[in-house]
């Protein structure tokens, strides 16, 4: 892995008490391609006096055999080094710029050099940025508080470098500790994302995912995009490999279409969108009842369509064969063309296969459509459970139960995975938990 380092310069840099200061020690271990030094007015004065920070880093790179680009962010007028807000805003811009300049490198930040305000600002940013930042702490050589510090005024790099014990393998100690804390931004946004999954709101979940930036694992991003397509009934647009993993199999594309729509309808109910749920019953019931006519009553509606794929049937075509004439008699159609409806399908099923379990279920659902759905479609005031109960004597859950029973009777139990969206959600959760 390639690294870059951002570090404020502090009072123990570059070498203190015959040991590396924080900056030098991190560079010794990680050997970054680039280090950006942040110098307040006080530290800049020492840098301008003898170039101690740059020279120490150059000596380290030469001795250890790696290339190191050294950049400086100089703040000559910065004297209020105790103010957190100054550093939070300044560091945030600098870290973003570094990441954009080295997008494939791991960005390190030094939490052991600089003032308490600088260290705190970096710790917060490491936990809140929308890309991964590795915070590194460097322990003091005695693993305790530094206590008395060496005077900075009389620092001599040549002698300090010669006496530095961290240069010798036998006396070197790795004092770096990587922060194991979870990125708080990622944690909070993941919780928000998972809350949207609970109510099957995939557009909102994807929006939160986009705000996570590079903290969103690639597989989770792919799954969220697919979930959005699926929730819009665009499941055929999902890549074949992914589609086969998240969309339940069915004997035919038509059955898959119907069942995916019914699952989507179920999600509206789970979100409490009662008006949308009732309005959505009509196309679902129609496709389900038409499928029953074609596959249970064994009547090919396609033979009588005015045009391929449409729902308008031609009376003249129906008059040409016995089955068509029988349908005209059932539907009481005399002439012209006719749009097939759920009610028409229920009449056909009752006449052709009255004993089949689906017939009674579809008729009950047709009554719900007639009593509650049609009124709901023309109301602007809220649709409540009380409205549904008053209009058709059933709760929304009971209506859904009827719909699921009818679907099972018509499509066959093996093709119906009513927990399919929950399984997809679990895949997304697992992907969110994957390390980057």
């Amino acid at each position: 892995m390639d690294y870059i380092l951002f570090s404020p310069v502090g009072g123990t840099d570059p070498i203190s008490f015959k040991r590396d200061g924080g900056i030098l020690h991190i560079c010794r271990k990680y050997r970054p391609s680039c280090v950006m030094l942040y110098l307040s007015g006080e530290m800049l004065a020492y840098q301008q006096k003898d170039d101690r920070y740059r020279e120490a880093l150059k000596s380290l790179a030469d001795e250890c055999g790696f290339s190191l680009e050294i950049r400086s962010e100089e703040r000559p007028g910065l004297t209020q080094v105790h103010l957190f807000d100054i550093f939070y805003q300044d560091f945030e811009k600098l870290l973003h710029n570094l990441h954009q300049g080295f997008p494939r490198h791991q960005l390190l930040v030094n939490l052991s050099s600089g003032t308490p305000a600088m260290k705190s600002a970096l710790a917060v940013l490491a936990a809140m940025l929308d890309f991964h930042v590795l915070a590194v702490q460097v322990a003091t050589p005695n693993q305790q508080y530094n206590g008395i510090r060496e005077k900075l005024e009389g620092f001599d790099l040549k002698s300090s470098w010669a006496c530095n014990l961290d240069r010798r393998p036998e006396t070197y100690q790795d004092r770096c500790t990587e922060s194991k804390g979870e990125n708080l931004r990622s944690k909070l946004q993941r919780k928000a994302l998972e809350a949207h999954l609970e109510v099957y709101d995939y557009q909102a979940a994807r929006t939160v995912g986009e705000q996570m930036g590079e903290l969103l694992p690639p597989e989770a991003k792919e799954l969220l995009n697919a979930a959005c397509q699926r929730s819009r009934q665009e499941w055929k647009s999902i890549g074949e490999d992914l589609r086969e993993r998240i969309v339940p199999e069915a004997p035919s594309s038509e059955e898959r279409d119907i069942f995916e729509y019914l699952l989507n309808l179920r999600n509206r109910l789970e979100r409490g969108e009662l008006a949308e749920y009732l309005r959505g019953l009509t196309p679902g019931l129609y496709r389900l009842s038409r499928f029953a006519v074609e596959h249970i009553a064994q009547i090919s509606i396609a033979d009588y369509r005015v045009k391929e794929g449409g729902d308008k049937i031609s009376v003249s075509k129906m008059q040409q064969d016995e089955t068509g004439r029988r349908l005209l008699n059932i539907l009481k159609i005399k002439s012209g063309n006719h749009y097939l409806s759920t009610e028409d399908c229920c009449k056909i099923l009752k006449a052709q296969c009255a004993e089949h379990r689906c017939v009674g279920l579809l008729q009950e659902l047709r009554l719900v459509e007639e009593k509650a759905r049609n009124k709901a479609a023309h109301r602007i005031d809220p649709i409540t459970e009380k409205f549904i109960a008053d209009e058709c004597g059933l709760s929304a859950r009971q209506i859904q139960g009827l719909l699921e029973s009818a679907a099972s009777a018509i499509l066959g139990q093996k093709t119906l995975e009513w927990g399919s969206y929950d399984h997809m959600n679990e895949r997304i959760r697992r992907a969110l938990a994957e390390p980057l």
Side-chain angles (χ1 to χ4, degrees):
M1 168 137 347
D2 294 324
Y3 297 97
I4 51 173
L5 171 65
F6 176 86
S7 177
V9 175
T12 59
D13 295 310
I15 301 169
S16 182
F17 292 108
K18 299 182 180 181
R19 293 283 184 178
D20 293 338
I23 299 171
L24 207 61
H25 203 65
I26 292 173
C27 289
R28 186 180 298 280
K29 177 177 180 177
Y30 294 94
R31 303 188 178 191
S33 304
C34 173
V35 59
M36 178 179 282
L37 303 177
Y38 186 90
L39 297 122
S40 65
E42 181 185 3
M43 296 298 110
L44 180 58
Y46 293 120
Q47 170 64 21
Q48 291 173 338
K49 178 182 178 182
D50 53 26
D51 204 21
R52 62 184 68 177
Y53 308 114
R54 287 178 176 274
E55 287 302 315
L57 288 167
K58 289 176 184 177
S59 296
L60 175 69
D62 289 342
E63 184 170 271
C64 295
F66 67 95
S67 297
L68 178 61
E69 177 187 352
I70 303 170
R71 300 182 181 183
S72 294
E73 282 294 325
E74 301 174 352
R75 300 293 184 267
L78 178 56
T79 57
Q80 294 183 306
V81 292
H82 61 288
L83 294 179
F84 172 89
D85 289 347
I86 292 174
F87 301 117
Y88 185 90
Q89 295 172 20
D90 205 6
F91 289 175
E92 184 177 24
K93 293 175 186 175
L94 294 172
L95 293 177
H96 270 290
N97 290 341
L98 265 178
H99 177 64
Q100 289 171 3
F102 297 86
R104 298 185 183 278
H105 287 59
Q106 172 62 65
L107 175 57
L108 306 172
V109 293
N110 175 12
L111 299 187
S112 297
S113 293
T115 66
M118 293 175 183
K119 298 172 187 177
S120 298
L122 282 177
V124 172
L125 285 165
M128 295 300 292
L129 289 172
D130 61 354
F131 53 89
H132 187 244
V133 175
L134 182 57
V136 181
Q137 292 177 288
V138 180
T140 61
N142 60 5
Q143 305 292 316
Q144 297 177 6
Y145 172 61
N146 272 321
I148 299 172
R149 296 191 178 187
E150 290 186 336
K151 292 183 178 181
L152 300 178
E153 290 79 3
F155 179 82
D156 178 68
L157 178 60
K158 186 176 181 180
S159 61
S160 294
W161 181 258
C163 297
N164 186 357
L165 296 174
D166 282 323
R167 292 177 60 209
R168 306 172 189 172
E170 66 273 15
T171 53
Y172 168 76
Q173 298 173 345
D174 179 4
R175 294 178 278 120
C176 293
T177 301
E178 297 178 0
S179 173
K180 303 299 182 184
E182 184 178 3
N183 185 288
L184 296 179
R185 179 192 184 107
S186 172
K187 185 174 183 179
L188 293 171
Q189 289 179 321
R190 190 167 67 244
K191 285 185 178 296
L193 193 157
E194 289 177 353
H196 290 306
L197 294 181
E198 287 293 325
V199 293
Y200 312 101
D201 190 344
Y202 297 102
Q203 187 59 52
R206 185 171 68 174
T207 299
V208 173
E210 289 169 349
Q211 292 169 356
M212 290 174 69
E214 295 177 22
L215 301 175
L216 180 67
E219 185 183 0
K221 182 177 182 179
E222 181 185 35
L223 284 166
L224 284 170
N225 287 333
C228 284
Q229 289 176 289
R230 188 182 181 193
S231 68
R232 296 193 301 265
Q233 296 299 112
E234 297 173 6
W235 62 269
K236 292 176 183 175
S237 300
I238 301 171
E240 185 176 356
D241 180 60
L242 185 56
R243 182 173 69 232
E244 295 308 311
R245 284 187 280 141
I246 65 173
V247 181
E249 292 183 2
S252 68
S253 178
E254 183 180 11
E255 286 169 89
R256 225 174 187 183
D257 260 341
I258 294 170
F259 188 53
E260 279 297 303
Y261 182 84
L262 297 181
L263 285 172
N264 194 278
L265 200 59
R266 181 175 178 266
N267 291 347
R268 296 181 203 177
L269 177 61
E270 294 297 330
R271 288 195 295 270
E273 298 172 358
L274 297 181
E276 293 303 313
Y277 175 74
L278 288 176
R279 291 168 188 148
L281 280 175
T282 295
L285 276 180
Y286 172 66
R287 288 294 299 275
L288 201 55
S289 60
R290 194 184 76 190
F291 187 88
V293 168
E294 293 174 334
H295 297 272
I296 294 174
Q298 297 289 303
I299 295 173
S300 177
I301 297 298
D303 293 344
Y304 309 114
R305 284 176 177 153
V306 173
K307 62 179 181 179
E308 187 176 350
D311 293 309
K312 187 184 287 188
I313 52 178
S314 166
V315 171
S316 61
K317 287 184 179 181
M318 295 171 76
Q319 290 172 337
Q320 293 173 16
D321 62 42
E322 183 179 344
T323 300
R325 288 189 291 272
R326 187 166 66 251
L327 290 180
L328 288 173
N329 185 53
I330 293 169
L331 300 177
K332 310 299 182 187
I333 304 171
K334 300 297 183 184
S335 61
N337 299 322
H338 178 77
Y339 276 105
L340 196 66
S341 66
T342 302
E343 185 176 2
D344 293 333
C345 293
C346 286
K347 289 178 181 179
I348 295 169
L349 291 167
K350 185 177 181 180
Q352 295 296 110
C353 46
E355 300 303 315
H356 196 281
R357 179 167 169 259
C358 75
V359 177
L361 292 167
L362 287 173
Q363 287 179 324
E364 282 190 77
L365 287 165
R366 173 67 189 111
L367 286 174
V368 169
E369 182 185 28
E370 186 178 299
K371 292 179 179 179
R373 182 272 173 202
N374 291 343
K375 288 185 179 180
H378 296 86
R379 288 168 63 102
I380 61 171
D381 46 328
I383 302 300
T384 63
E385 283 282 2
K386 185 178 184 304
F387 167 82
I388 296 172
D390 288 346
E391 294 300 325
C392 58
L394 296 169
S395 68
R397 293 284 177 189
Q398 288 173 320
I399 295 170
Q400 180 62 23
L402 288 173
L403 188 61
E404 291 183 14
S405 296
S408 296
I410 295 168
L411 300 177
Q413 189 64 43
K414 289 183 179 179
T415 65
L416 307 186
E417 297 179 29
W418 293 103
S420 173
Y421 269 83
D422 295 320
H423 298 155
M424 181 176 71
N425 287 350
E426 187 55 37
R427 279 182 178 272
I428 296 172
R429 290 189 191 94
R430 288 200 300 268
L432 285 170
E434 286 294 317
L436 292 170

